[in-house]
Amino acid sequence: MTSTVGRQAREIPFRDIAPTFVRDPLAAVERIGARAGGDIVRLRLGAMSPYLVTRPEHVAHVLSDNAANYEREGWLWNPLSRLVGEPAGKLWWARRAVLQELVSGPSIDRFADEMAVTIVQAVDEMADRGAGGTRLIARREMSRVVFRAITRVLVGDMVTTEQTLRLGRAVTVASAALRPRLLAPFVPNEVPFFGDRTFARALREIDELVLPIVRRAQERGDRPEGHDVVSRLLRATTADGDRFTLRQLRDGLVSLYVGGTETTVIALTFLWVVLGRRTDVQERLTEEIDRVVGEGPLNGSHLRHLTYTKQVALETLRLYPPGWMLPRVIYRDDVIDGVRIDGGGLIVVSPYLTHRLPDVWPEPTRFDPDRFRPGHEPRHRLAYLTFGAGPHGCVGRPFFTAEMQLILAALLSRFRVEVHGDPTARPKLGMTLRPRQEVEISLVPRVRSAGRESPSARS
């Protein structure tokens, strides 16, 4: 049994950071991180006094080693449940097991070829829109590509391209409309609030698109050969033999859609800004893609050879983790590294701040994909927190890296992506970390040198 005797956490009053918070909330978070210096601190924010943990060893205690004492509910999770359903229960764990199987190595091999074809088709359409140097909005274009890719994996051929894009837009609008509730975490979901009407309209559109998919899948039956997520969820049961209801299938599909799109879209949007300034990284990335993919066509077998491309994807999400904070409700009193943690309150893990601890990540603000090269000096298992950890950690890391690798390969094998103006690489704080401004890009066709072939073609 854990002893509950320990010293008080050092406090940081809100008044100390309030002026900075009004001007720039992200700067206020960075200031808190600097004052904490890796220590466990308590933030006195008026009605709330959450603890903040940033060191990997402390994070491991909260998210993994003693995770049962730190529940994923309350702030952030209650508003989000209006969109994706409750993150608990036996069927939630069955749904998670389906996803974990889906994103394992053998499963990715099964659908990677199909995802590559879908991504290439989406890039073709993007190239048509950008013909003649037409400027494109990076976030909008990356969303189209990502929505197409993940929808193919989630529901196979059960929706049209037009329905896919409608669903993507509705999910984006609904997610944005939830943000005001984060500023008032104690307001119950039942109480009307800013953004509710917009959210309700987007939610109706989501249900109008998703529920017919699920109904058709139920009528069709659980096909043993179906590898899409809906088919797998229909086959899934708990240890007690329970199966998913229509609503639970809908919640499962929407939650996977939300989790599988926003992270990749945000990462790709930031990445174009970075590559516009780091020509060395862009040249090395392009050289690898040329060597591996050759004249194409792009397919799943290229993934294992796109190692630097994978490193670039992971480093992008180290600097720009969309889920910049992971709040938990403290079930009962605890002690972390000699600091007493009082039960009943909140504790916050911040991937953004952990990824900027200089003794964990040397020169933390420098973009350096070689941090993730094979054989690199080992770090604490929770030094990298973009995908969380423990029982509720995101199991989608292999899917994300495969998706990023294929999208980058499909684009950079044919085009140089030119960024217009001088967009800032500094993110904006909200429900997720996101670019502060729209990023305009154009696609410049590349002249490829002849005679190169990919490793898969030579084998």
Side-chain angles (χ1 to χ4, degrees):
M1 184 174 178
T2 303
S3 169
T4 56
V5 177
R7 66 183 184 277
Q8 292 274 9
R10 180 160 55 89
E11 295 186 356
I12 299 179
F14 181 66
R15 65 175 180 273
D16 291 358
I17 53 121
T20 306
F21 187 85
V22 171
R23 294 192 305 272
D24 186 347
L26 182 63
V29 169
E30 292 171 336
R31 185 176 175 186
I32 289 170
R35 287 190 57 176
D39 293 341
I40 299 170
V41 296
R42 194 162 196 182
L43 311 176
R44 292 298 183 184
L45 307 179
M48 293 190 299
S49 297
Y51 295 92
L52 172 69
V53 295
T54 54
R55 293 211 62 79
E57 314 88 75
H58 303 157
V59 171
H61 183 90
V62 174
L63 297 186
S64 181
D65 302 341
N66 196 25
N69 193 49
Y70 299 93
E71 299 289 340
R72 192 171 72 158
E73 58 185 42
W75 189 23
L76 177 66
W77 308 115
N78 281 349
L80 193 58
S81 70
R82 303 173 76 212
L83 177 60
V84 302
E86 295 296 333
K90 291 183 292 184
L91 287 172
W92 186 89
W93 291 104
R95 186 178 77 198
R96 177 184 170 86
V98 169
L99 180 60
Q100 194 154 15
E101 180 191 356
L102 179 71
V103 298
S104 67
S107 292
I108 286 180
D109 289 342
R110 279 197 295 271
F111 63 67
D113 283 346
E114 196 170 353
M115 187 161 68
V117 170
T118 302
I119 287 171
V120 169
Q121 291 171 346
V123 168
D124 287 342
E125 294 167 9
M126 178 181 171
D128 289 341
R129 289 188 293 274
T134 301
R135 295 187 179 189
L136 304 169
I137 302 298
R139 173 192 52 78
R140 188 178 302 156
E141 297 302 327
M142 295 305 100
S143 296
R144 287 173 176 267
V145 177
V146 171
F147 292 152
R148 293 276 297 278
I150 195 167
T151 303
R152 187 67 181 177
V153 173
L154 292 182
V155 299
D157 57 0
M158 287 186 279
V159 292
T160 65
T161 299
E162 190 275 333
Q163 288 173 321
T164 295
L165 297 178
R166 276 183 59 204
L167 179 58
R169 286 192 295 267
V171 167
T172 300
V173 170
S175 298
L178 285 176
R179 289 174 200 151
R181 284 190 174 270
L182 288 179
L183 302 177
F186 298 112
V187 176
N189 283 341
E190 298 76 21
V191 175
F193 206 66
F194 303 106
D196 278 0
R197 289 185 179 180
T198 301
F199 176 81
R201 287 194 297 270
L203 194 64
R204 281 196 299 272
E205 185 165 16
I206 291 169
D207 287 345
E208 286 170 3
L209 290 163
V210 171
L211 288 174
I213 295 171
V214 176
R215 289 192 186 98
R216 286 199 302 272
Q218 286 181 317
E219 292 167 359
R220 180 191 63 193
D222 53 342
R223 300 178 303 168
E225 75 281 3
H227 296 304
D228 57 85
V229 168
V230 173
S231 296
R232 293 186 184 209
L233 289 175
L234 282 170
R235 297 196 296 267
T237 61
T238 67
D240 299 331
D242 295 329
R243 288 183 178 268
F244 290 97
T245 65
L246 177 68
R247 186 67 194 182
Q248 288 163 338
L249 285 167
R250 176 264 178 216
D251 289 348
L253 195 56
V254 173
S255 66
L256 295 177
Y257 203 93
V258 171
T261 55
E262 188 164 33
T263 296
T264 312
V265 170
I266 290 173
L268 284 165
T269 305
F270 276 122
L271 181 57
W272 301 127
V273 178
V274 172
L275 293 182
R277 300 174 180 184
R278 290 292 304 275
T279 56
D280 57 325
V281 174
Q282 184 167 187
E283 288 172 2
R284 187 172 166 188
L285 188 60
T286 302
E287 185 279 328
E288 177 181 82
I289 291 169
D290 284 353
R291 174 169 44 81
V292 170
V293 179
E295 295 300 320
L298 179 66
N299 60 64
S301 70
H302 294 132
L303 286 173
R304 65 181 178 272
H305 301 289
L306 293 169
T307 54
Y308 187 70
T309 310
K310 181 177 180 179
Q311 292 169 211
V312 167
L314 294 174
E315 175 68 348
T316 303
L317 283 188
R318 182 193 68 83
L319 273 178
Y320 307 109
W324 64 275
M325 68 165 181
L326 306 174
R328 296 288 189 269
V329 172
I330 307 162
Y331 185 52
R332 50 182 173 276
D333 294 351
D334 196 6
V335 172
I336 304 176
D337 197 14
V339 175
R340 187 169 74 250
I341 306 296
D342 297 331
L346 283 173
I347 193 164
V348 176
V349 172
S350 175
Y352 184 83
L353 294 180
T354 297
H355 294 172
R356 279 163 173 72
L357 291 174
D359 60 329
V360 178
W361 298 94
E363 297 182 78
T365 59
R366 183 168 63 91
F367 188 86
D368 181 10
D370 281 328
R371 300 180 198 271
F372 296 94
R373 73 177 184 271
H376 190 278
E377 182 179 346
R379 289 176 289 266
H380 189 282
R381 61 190 174 91
L382 292 191
Y384 188 73
L385 285 173
T386 296
F387 299 94
H392 289 282
C394 176
V395 298
R397 176 169 170 167
F399 180 87
F400 162 79
T401 54
E403 188 178 31
M404 281 280 285
Q405 285 170 288
L406 292 172
I407 292 172
L408 289 173
L411 274 165
L412 296 181
S413 62
R414 297 169 51 194
F415 304 100
R416 178 171 56 85
V417 179
E418 183 176 296
V419 178
H420 295 280
D422 187 25
T424 178
R426 183 165 175 75
K428 178 174 69 174
L429 204 63
M431 184 174 180
T432 55
L433 209 64
R434 56 186 56 245
R436 286 179 177 254
Q437 62 201 89
E438 294 288 15
V439 178
E440 287 190 331
I441 60 174
S442 58
L443 303 183
V444 181
R446 292 180 54 215
V447 178
R448 296 284 303 277
S449 57
R452 290 183 176 176
E453 60 180 357
S454 69
S456 57
R458 292 194 297 267
S459 59

